[in-house]
Each structure stands twice: as structure tokens, then as C-alpha cells.
Amino acid sequence: MPSRIPTLAPPRPLEPTGPELRALLYAAVEHVVELVDGLPAAPPHDHTGVDELLADPAVRRPPPEHGRGVDELLAVLDRAAAKGINSASGGVFAYVPGSGLVSAAVAELLAGVLNRYTGLAHPAPGLVALESDVLRWVADLFGLPATAAGTLTTGASLATLSALVTARTAMLPPDFRAGTLYVTAQSHHCVAKAARIAGFPGAAVRVVPTDADLRMDTEALRRAIDADRAAGRLPFCVVATAGTTNTGTIDPLPAIAEVAATQRLWLHVDGAYGGFFQLTDRGHDRLRGIEHADSLVLDPHKSLFLPFGTGCLLVRDGRLLAAAHSPDDDAPYLQDLETGTLPDFADHSPELTREFRGLRLWLPLHLHGVAAFRAALDEKLDLAAHVHEQLSGIPALTVLGPPDLSTVAFRCRAGDAATSELLRRVNAERRVLLSSTRVDGRVLGRVCVLNHRSDRSRVDEAVDALRRYAG
Ligand SMILES: *Cc1c(COP(=O)(O)O)cnc(C)c1O
């Protein structure tokens, strides 16, 4: 008699068997190697055929009831990724370029597979220790004291929000609406955005003039603070930029720190773009004064070449960071979790559950060694100096600088329309991508060298194209 044996355990299609898992990972590994090998030849940008891509039902379809093969899915991914700006390409000198260390992507894979809970120390003390050690290393790099604490965020914007909320909590009364903070027209817009999200009215953000080199005018800062106090406002924070997004200019950090100290203001330093140049001798020299920061924002996904999604906040007095971010009441559902000497990252951030972000820094730093990062950043400084020298020799251009960091800004003597047209022609070759900005109402072209894959030959392609079309 044929027996009908009931299936005792349901099949587990969500958990691949060993061989299935290997096949999935090998497919991904092959794909990653091909992607990286293809980068030198891949166009850094391509916006042709975007409408067709977005209208293609083979790309944009709801998930099927039964799964499809990974090869088919990787092909869809390739098609979707082919359009737009290829931030992984060394040909991108636009905005502040991304990069994408593959070792950090490997860390992300490992962290996801481990899937340990690192919002609190108790569930993963060893892993929280690794992340905490990385943060300590960063704090030491910037000369912050043992009291410093920090948190890894998804980017500088969220780190800035946490920094402003920390400053607000530490420096202002519960009704903080008269609080005033000081930026320049060159500060990143994430500061004003953070102030608004943190509940400040628009008038709270005071724009201090810059000098001819686009650096904060500290005398003007002093006068603005005095005038605001006389008008009954509550000056509480000054934001210095350690490498502006437009031109890579570093504000006069020692002088601003001096004003902050004498006026008893919180010194916030935005090092999202420039911060990790601190690893180099030249950067360390130019960033002098950064060690006075009460809060410091960095973007490992910029000047540490990580894939997008990693920012960093450090606060000189870690208790103030915790005071602004830890919950008022004990949460009874967390009562089984004892805390020891390790940080509970949830007390330093708006987040509770989050991925094991620290591995993205820990693995590349330990795998490649700090010297590799220092050398790469030194190379970016050298390349920018080279671009500056080369562009300065083109008669049709006015070149700002020399650059503090790795951004060279220029304009056509013939005017804004000529500058925009020059960039359009250079970009149309699709070997490099440059972007423009506006400073004091005038269009500036920029070459920002920050991708670890941008080498001398790619930089020279940008220079040669600029020379060819500048006329
Ligand atoms: C990029 C940048 C930011 C914003 O960082 P995100 O990581 O994009 O949120 C802030 N400040 C400066 C100077 C930047 O260059």
C-alpha cells in the first residue's frame, strides 16, 4: 500500500541549502569582479535612454509569486545601474565624488549575515567594542579628549542634526527659539536644514560674511554675535567648515575656536568633505584648530572612500551627546539588558535598531592599513595641485586657489555662459564628469578629486578636455 508520508517540516525556501548559497554567492562574486574590472572603461555618466529604461516592464515589475534566477536578476540590476552617474568611477570629479571600497562592501555582506544587534552593547559586546574602538581611533586622530563619544550615522546630514540637537540641549533653555547659530554662505545646506528640523525658526541661522578667499570673516562673526546679544537673541553655536563643498576651502579654525571660547559658543566643525585629510601631513597642518571642536561631523563615505551610507559624529563631551539622545524613561522591554563599560549606541543617536555599521570602517582600516588611506589622500592632494597648476596655464580661465584640499574651482574669463558651455562640452565626451556651482552669483566650474580610483591619467583627461574646449 503506497504510504503517504506527511511532510513534517515545511520546506524552507527562504533559507538556501549550502550548495544553493554557494551558487548565489559565487554569482554575486563574479558580478562584483566584473563590475570593478569594467570601471576604467565604463562611462562616468550616461543619461541617454533613461525614459526607455523607466518605461521598461522587464525592469519595473512587481515581485513574482515564484522566484526568478539570480543571473536574470543581476542582468536587470545592470540595466538599472547603467544610467545616471556612476559614482564608483574614477572619472567623476563632480559634486563631492563617492568612491566605494569593495572591502567595505564585503564588510557590509558579513555584517548582514551576522545580523547581530549593535544598537545596545549587551547583545553584541564584542562587535560593539570593534565599532567603539574605531570611533576612539577617529577621536584620537582629531585630538579629542577621552571624554569624547560618537556615533556612526548614515551620512553627515544626520550627524549634523544630532550635533545641533546636542548643542541646543547643552547650551539653550527649554524654550530655545531665540537661539542663534552662525554659518557662512559657503556652509553646507544640511546645517540650515538640521536647524529647521531641530525646531529653530529661520531667523536662528545667521549668515556671516566671508573674506575674499571665501573663509568666514571672524571679525564679522564677533560683531554679529555682539549685535545679536544686544538684540536679546541667544547666540549658542558657530559652524566652521573644514572643507567647503563648493571650493574645498577651510575656514580659519583657530580664530573661530578663539571666538567660540571667548563668547562661550559651541564650536561645530563640518568636516564631511575634508575631515579625513587629517591623516596626511598637509591636511593635518591645514586643519589645525579642528581639535577644539565641541562637535565634529565627518563623512567616511567621502574622504575615507567608503560606499554611501556612512557618516560620523564625534562630541567632545560624550555626556552631552547622551543627554540629548538617551530616552527619559527606562523602557521596560529592555530591562534584561545590562550595560557595562561599552557604549549603548542607541543613547548617542535617534536610532535604536541599526545595522552593524562599524564593520564598514573596521574591516577596510585593518585590512588595508592606515598608511594606504594616508597615501590615497596624499595622492588626491597632489592631483588637485597638479590640476591647479595645469588650469592656471590656460589663458581663457581664471582659477581660484591654490586649493586647500582636493577641489580646484575656475571660471571662463568670457563669463558664466562660457563656463557652463565649457563644462557641457567636456562632459559630453563621457570620460569625466565635472559639475558647476555658483559663488557670489557667478558660475564656477569645479574639479573635485576624491575617488580612490581617480589617478593621474584620468585627471589629465579632465585637464586636456578643459584645455581643448576652453579656446
Ligand atoms: C556632503 C556634505 C555634507 C552632507 O553630507 P551627506 O553625507 O550627504 O549627508 C555636509 N557638509 C559638507 C561640507 C559636505 O560636503
Side-chain angles (χ1 to χ4, degrees):
M1 207 176 139
S3 63
R4 288 180 48 95
I5 302 169
T7 311
L8 292 178
R12 294 189 300 160
L14 291 182
E15 187 75 344
T17 61
E20 286 166 350
L21 180 57
R22 268 205 187 82
L24 176 64
L25 288 172
Y26 281 145
V29 165
E30 281 307 314
H31 200 73
V32 166
V33 173
E34 273 173 35
L35 275 177
V36 175
D37 282 351
L39 279 174
H45 63 113
D46 180 3
H47 282 88
T48 60
V50 171
D51 291 345
E52 290 87 327
L53 171 70
L54 298 185
D56 187 343
V59 174
R60 309 184 71 184
R61 54 195 247 184
E65 192 58 26
H66 301 287
R68 296 192 270 158
V70 66
D71 290 338
E72 190 189 335
L73 298 174
L74 289 174
V76 174
L77 178 66
D78 273 348
R79 288 203 51 210
K83 301 300 171 186
I85 297 173
N86 187 350
S87 319
S89 159
V92 176
F93 303 106
Y95 315 103
V96 175
S99 240
L101 291 180
V102 179
S103 53
V106 172
E108 211 157 320
L109 172 66
L110 291 168
V113 175
L114 282 169
N115 197 34
R116 299 288 296 277
Y117 198 94
T118 51
L120 302 166
H122 177 87
L127 304 187
V128 167
L130 297 186
E131 182 161 330
S132 157
D133 291 347
V134 170
L135 284 165
R136 187 63 249 166
W137 174 79
V138 180
D140 287 342
L141 175 66
F142 289 94
L144 294 177
T147 54
T151 181
L152 294 176
T153 65
T154 50
S157 295
L158 271 185
T160 302
L161 176 61
S162 273
L164 287 195
V165 170
T166 303
R168 187 195 77 193
T169 309
M171 306 291 287
L172 291 172
D175 182 351
F176 54 79
R177 283 170 299 176
T180 308
L181 64 130
Y182 299 84
V183 300
T184 75
Q186 299 305 313
S187 302
H188 195 276
H189 70 204
C190 77
V191 177
K193 179 174 163 180
R196 179 159 52 82
I197 297 172
F200 287 99
V205 181
R206 181 79 67 232
V207 181
V208 178
T210 48
D211 64 17
D213 289 334
L214 302 174
R215 302 179 209 280
M216 182 182 277
D217 176 342
T218 46
E219 277 317 306
L221 168 66
R222 223 185 285 271
R223 284 195 299 274
I225 295 168
D226 287 343
D228 282 332
R229 280 205 216 283
R233 302 199 57 90
L234 300 174
F236 78 103
C237 174
V238 55
V239 177
T241 307
T244 62
T245 313
N246 276 339
T247 55
T249 305
I250 301 170
D251 276 329
L253 301 174
I256 296 174
E258 224 266 314
V259 176
T262 51
Q263 298 273 356
R264 294 184 313 283
L265 262 55
W266 182 278
L267 174 61
H268 174 72
V269 178
D270 180 354
Y273 159 43
F276 284 105
F277 282 99
Q278 176 84 348
L279 280 167
T280 68
D281 287 346
R282 281 172 287 179
H284 190 269
D285 217 37
R286 292 169 197 172
L287 292 168
R288 202 166 46 82
I290 203 166
E291 67 279 6
H292 298 300
D294 291 300
S295 53
L296 171 62
V297 160
L298 303 159
D299 248 346
H301 65 207
K302 286 179 177 165
S303 40
L304 273 189
F305 315 115
L306 260 57
F308 293 140
T310 311
C312 179
L313 168 64
L314 291 167
V315 174
R316 169 176 227 85
D317 182 345
R319 288 169 310 179
L320 301 178
L321 178 64
H325 290 88
S326 44
D328 293 332
D329 306 316
D330 282 347
Y333 40 83
L334 298 179
Q335 67 187 0
D336 303 330
L337 304 173
E338 46 178 275
T339 45
T341 54
L342 291 166
D344 286 328
F345 291 125
D347 287 347
H348 294 165
S349 146
E351 297 175 303
L352 177 58
T353 304
R354 27 90 99 203
E355 78 278 29
F356 176 27
R357 225 163 261 163
L359 199 65
R360 294 210 285 262
L361 279 140
W362 184 89
L363 187 76
L365 283 166
H366 284 264
L367 185 70
H368 306 296
V370 175
F373 289 88
R374 182 174 299 117
L377 288 163
D378 257 326
E379 184 203 22
K380 302 311 143 197
L381 293 175
D382 289 341
L383 290 172
H386 169 70
V387 171
H388 182 261
E389 186 193 318
Q390 293 297 309
L391 297 192
S392 298
I394 302 177
L397 300 182
T398 302
V399 185
L400 277 61
D404 284 351
L405 296 171
S406 66
T407 302
V408 179
F410 58 89
R411 59 176 157 250
C412 288
R413 293 184 195 277
D416 288 353
T419 308
S420 300
E421 175 61 13
L422 173 60
L423 294 187
R424 197 193 61 72
R425 295 174 78 174
V426 169
N427 291 339
E429 293 188 341
R430 285 210 228 127
R431 281 299 300 164
V432 300
L433 180 68
L434 310 183
S435 64
S436 69
T437 186
R438 215 169 247 285
V439 168
D440 294 334
R442 299 188 59 187
V443 176
L444 282 183
R446 304 160 66 258
V447 179
C448 181
V449 192
L450 200 61
N451 189 307
H452 71 288
R453 300 185 176 107
S454 297
D455 56 10
R456 171 69 182 259
S457 69
R458 195 60 86 101
V459 160
D460 277 338
E461 288 192 62
V463 168
D464 292 344
L466 284 167
R467 186 178 293 116
R468 206 165 342 111
Y469 293 122

Short mmCIF file of all heavy atoms in Angstrom, two decimals, residues 96 155-157 188 190 243 245 270 272-273 299 301-302, ligand 1:
data_model
loop_
_atom_site.label_atom_id
_atom_site.label_comp_id
_atom_site.label_asym_id
_atom_site.label_seq_id
_atom_site.Cartn_x
_atom_site.Cartn_y
_atom_site.Cartn_z
N VAL A 96 30.82 66.27 -4.59
CA VAL A 96 31.90 65.64 -3.85
C VAL A 96 31.81 64.17 -4.23
O VAL A 96 30.84 63.50 -3.88
CB VAL A 96 31.77 65.83 -2.33
CG1 VAL A 96 32.85 65.05 -1.60
CG2 VAL A 96 31.87 67.31 -1.97
N GLY A 155 25.10 59.38 7.24
CA GLY A 155 25.76 60.43 6.48
C GLY A 155 25.91 61.67 7.33
O GLY A 155 25.48 61.71 8.49
N ALA A 156 26.53 62.70 6.74
CA ALA A 156 26.80 63.91 7.51
C ALA A 156 25.53 64.68 7.85
O ALA A 156 25.48 65.36 8.87
CB ALA A 156 27.75 64.81 6.72
N SER A 157 24.51 64.58 7.03
CA SER A 157 23.29 65.34 7.32
C SER A 157 22.69 64.91 8.64
O SER A 157 22.33 65.76 9.48
CB SER A 157 22.27 65.17 6.19
OG SER A 157 22.75 65.73 5.00
N HIS A 188 27.42 74.10 4.23
CA HIS A 188 26.53 73.15 3.54
C HIS A 188 25.08 73.37 3.99
O HIS A 188 24.84 73.66 5.16
CB HIS A 188 26.96 71.72 3.88
CG HIS A 188 26.35 70.69 2.97
ND1 HIS A 188 25.11 70.16 3.18
CD2 HIS A 188 26.81 70.12 1.83
CE1 HIS A 188 24.83 69.28 2.22
NE2 HIS A 188 25.85 69.25 1.38
N CYS A 190 22.92 71.42 4.70
CA CYS A 190 22.40 70.47 5.70
C CYS A 190 22.38 71.11 7.09
O CYS A 190 21.64 70.64 7.96
CB CYS A 190 23.21 69.17 5.71
SG CYS A 190 24.80 69.27 6.52
N GLY A 243 36.58 72.38 4.91
CA GLY A 243 36.49 71.93 3.53
C GLY A 243 35.09 72.14 3.00
O GLY A 243 34.22 71.30 3.18
N THR A 245 31.97 72.47 0.39
CA THR A 245 31.55 71.65 -0.74
C THR A 245 31.85 72.36 -2.06
O THR A 245 32.25 71.73 -3.03
CB THR A 245 30.04 71.37 -0.62
OG1 THR A 245 29.78 70.95 0.73
CG2 THR A 245 29.59 70.28 -1.56
N ASP A 270 32.19 71.17 10.52
CA ASP A 270 31.70 70.30 9.45
C ASP A 270 32.88 69.83 8.61
O ASP A 270 33.37 70.55 7.74
CB ASP A 270 30.68 71.07 8.59
CG ASP A 270 30.14 70.21 7.46
OD1 ASP A 270 30.62 69.06 7.28
OD2 ASP A 270 29.23 70.67 6.74
N ALA A 272 32.71 67.06 6.74
CA ALA A 272 32.12 65.98 5.93
C ALA A 272 32.99 65.70 4.70
O ALA A 272 33.25 64.55 4.37
CB ALA A 272 30.71 66.35 5.52
N TYR A 273 33.40 66.76 4.06
CA TYR A 273 34.24 66.56 2.88
C TYR A 273 35.71 66.42 3.28
O TYR A 273 36.40 65.47 2.91
CB TYR A 273 34.03 67.72 1.89
CG TYR A 273 35.14 67.92 0.89
CD1 TYR A 273 35.74 66.84 0.24
CD2 TYR A 273 35.61 69.19 0.58
CE1 TYR A 273 36.77 67.03 -0.66
CE2 TYR A 273 36.63 69.38 -0.33
CZ TYR A 273 37.22 68.30 -0.94
OH TYR A 273 38.24 68.49 -1.82
N ASP A 299 32.47 62.42 7.07
CA ASP A 299 31.78 61.50 6.15
C ASP A 299 32.76 60.45 5.64
O ASP A 299 33.43 60.67 4.63
CB ASP A 299 31.18 62.27 4.96
CG ASP A 299 29.66 62.30 4.98
OD1 ASP A 299 29.06 61.50 5.73
OD2 ASP A 299 29.07 63.11 4.25
N HIS A 301 32.04 58.15 3.93
CA HIS A 301 31.68 57.84 2.53
C HIS A 301 32.17 58.93 1.56
O HIS A 301 31.91 58.84 0.36
CB HIS A 301 30.19 57.51 2.35
CG HIS A 301 29.22 58.60 2.62
ND1 HIS A 301 27.93 58.33 3.04
CD2 HIS A 301 29.29 59.94 2.54
CE1 HIS A 301 27.27 59.47 3.18
NE2 HIS A 301 28.08 60.46 2.89
N LYS A 302 32.88 59.92 2.08
CA LYS A 302 33.59 60.84 1.19
C LYS A 302 35.10 60.59 1.35
O LYS A 302 35.69 59.87 0.58
CB LYS A 302 33.21 62.29 1.51
CG LYS A 302 31.81 62.63 1.01
CD LYS A 302 31.42 64.05 1.34
CE LYS A 302 30.05 64.39 0.78
NZ LYS A 302 29.52 65.62 1.40
C1 LIG B 1 28.43 66.28 1.58
C2 LIG B 1 28.47 67.32 2.64
C3 LIG B 1 27.51 67.34 3.65
C4 LIG B 1 26.30 66.44 3.67
O1 LIG B 1 26.69 65.11 3.81
P1 LIG B 1 25.74 63.88 3.49
O2 LIG B 1 26.59 62.72 3.82
O3 LIG B 1 25.43 63.98 2.02
O4 LIG B 1 24.52 63.98 4.31
C5 LIG B 1 27.69 68.26 4.67
N1 LIG B 1 28.72 69.11 4.68
C6 LIG B 1 29.67 69.13 3.71
C7 LIG B 1 30.79 70.11 3.78
C8 LIG B 1 29.55 68.23 2.64
O5 LIG B 1 30.46 68.26 1.65
#
